[in-house]
Amino acid sequence: MTVTGVRGTARIVARDDGRGGTALPVLDGEGPLAPRRTRASGGEARVVLVGAMSGPLGGDRFDVTAEVGQGARLHVRSAAATIALPGQRKGESRYDVRLVVADGGELHWLPEQLISARGSDLYVSTHVDLAAGARLVLREEQVLGRTGEEPGRLTSRLTVRIAGRTVLDQELACGPGAPGGWDGPAVLAGHRAVGQLVVVRPEFDREPVAARMLGEGAAIAPLAGPAVLVTAVAADALRLRRVLDEALAQLA
C-alpha cells in the first residue's frame, strides 16, 4: 500500500459588494489550512491563513487559491511562519499557490516566512494571473534553516502574468541536492534569508521605476509591464523583512 502525505486546500474568493466594500462569498479550507476573515479596513477585506498543524512534512501537498473580482480589494497574511519539516514519509512535499486578480481588483499577498528545516524537501510554486488593470503587492520570504541549523532542500518558483503575458518566471533551488553555486557569490553569497517583492500598479506605465540598488543586498528592477521586482538577501529573517518593508515604502 502506498502511503501518501496530508492534503490541505484553501480557497478565497473576493467580490465587490456594491456598497464600497468587499465580500467574501467563498472562504473555505480543508485539512490543515484554515482561512479566517478578520476586521476589514475601509473597502478592503482581510483574511488570515491559519495552519492547524506543523508542516508541510515529507509527502504533503498544500494548495491555496485566491481570486479577486473587479473592484474588490483583498489583503491576505498568514498567522505564523510556515516550517517545512522532513516528517516520517519520504519524498518531496509541495505548496502551490494560485492568485487571480481581475481588472480593477487589488490583492496584497503578504504571508509570513517559509523556513526550510534540516532534512526537508519542499517545492513551492506561486502562479499569479493579473488582468491589465489589476493591482498587486506580493511578498515571498524564504529562510534556510532554523537558528544554527543547516537547511533542507527548497525549490521556489514564482510566475507572474499580466494580461496574458508572462513578465516574471524565476526559480531558485537551495540546500542539499540543489544545483551547485546556490550558496556562492552569484546567488546567496552565504546569506540565509532571501525574499522577493512584486508590485504591480497601472501607473508604473506612466511613471516607470528606475532600476537601482538598495544597499548591498537588495535591488529594484522594473519588469516588462506595469510591474517592479525587488530581490533581497539578508543574514536573517528580521533583516530581510526590514529591507523589503523599506522597498515597499519607496514604491508606495
Side-chain angles (χ1 to χ4, degrees):
M1 181 178 66
T2 301
V3 179
T4 59
V6 173
R7 180 70 184 263
T9 62
R11 184 170 179 234
I12 306 165
V13 176
R15 296 285 185 261
D16 184 350
D17 67 2
R19 303 186 302 274
T22 298
L24 296 174
V26 178
L27 192 63
D28 293 332
E30 295 181 357
L33 298 177
R36 297 286 184 261
R37 183 164 192 165
T38 61
R39 184 182 297 275
S41 175
E44 178 184 71
R46 290 179 172 257
V47 172
V48 174
L49 192 60
V50 179
M53 58 177 282
S54 298
L57 308 178
D60 290 355
R61 174 72 182 265
F62 293 174
D63 294 279
V64 179
T65 301
E67 303 172 22
V68 181
Q70 186 173 7
R73 298 171 58 201
L74 176 64
H75 182 119
V76 180
R77 63 183 181 87
S78 57
T82 298
I83 304 178
L85 298 166
Q88 295 181 346
R89 302 178 183 90
K90 301 297 181 182
E92 179 185 76
S93 54
R94 290 188 62 99
Y95 201 130
D96 294 315
V97 177
R98 181 173 175 81
L99 310 174
V100 180
V101 186
D103 188 47
E106 182 171 348
L107 173 63
H108 287 230
W109 187 263
L110 303 170
E112 293 300 311
Q113 298 92 354
L114 169 63
I115 301 172
S116 174
R118 182 178 181 179
S120 63
D121 185 0
L122 176 64
Y123 185 93
V124 182
S125 173
T126 302
H127 188 97
V128 186
D129 274 302
L130 305 173
R135 295 173 177 269
L136 173 75
V137 176
L138 179 147
R139 182 186 67 214
E140 288 191 341
E141 299 167 308
Q142 294 94 30
V143 180
L144 304 182
R146 293 167 290 193
T147 303
E149 176 186 63
E150 289 299 311
R153 177 167 179 168
L154 174 63
T155 305
S156 176
R157 183 173 183 179
L158 173 60
T159 306
V160 179
R161 292 168 55 86
I162 301 176
R165 181 175 68 162
T166 300
V167 300
L168 177 66
D169 190 350
Q170 68 176 24
E171 183 172 284
L172 176 64
C174 304
W182 67 269
D183 203 21
V187 188
L188 296 188
H191 295 91
R192 284 295 176 264
V194 58
Q196 298 77 232
L197 177 70
V198 179
V199 181
V200 179
R201 289 178 177 152
E203 53 265 35
F204 288 161
D205 270 338
R206 302 186 302 272
E207 301 176 0
V209 176
R212 62 184 184 273
M213 296 296 296
L214 296 173
E216 296 182 358
I220 293 179
L223 300 175
V228 175
L229 170 68
V230 179
T231 303
V233 294
D236 55 44
L238 182 61
R239 297 178 192 180
L240 178 66
R241 176 67 60 83
R242 186 180 302 125
V243 170
L244 294 179
D245 283 349
E246 291 174 355
L248 182 57
Q250 292 186 31
L251 295 169

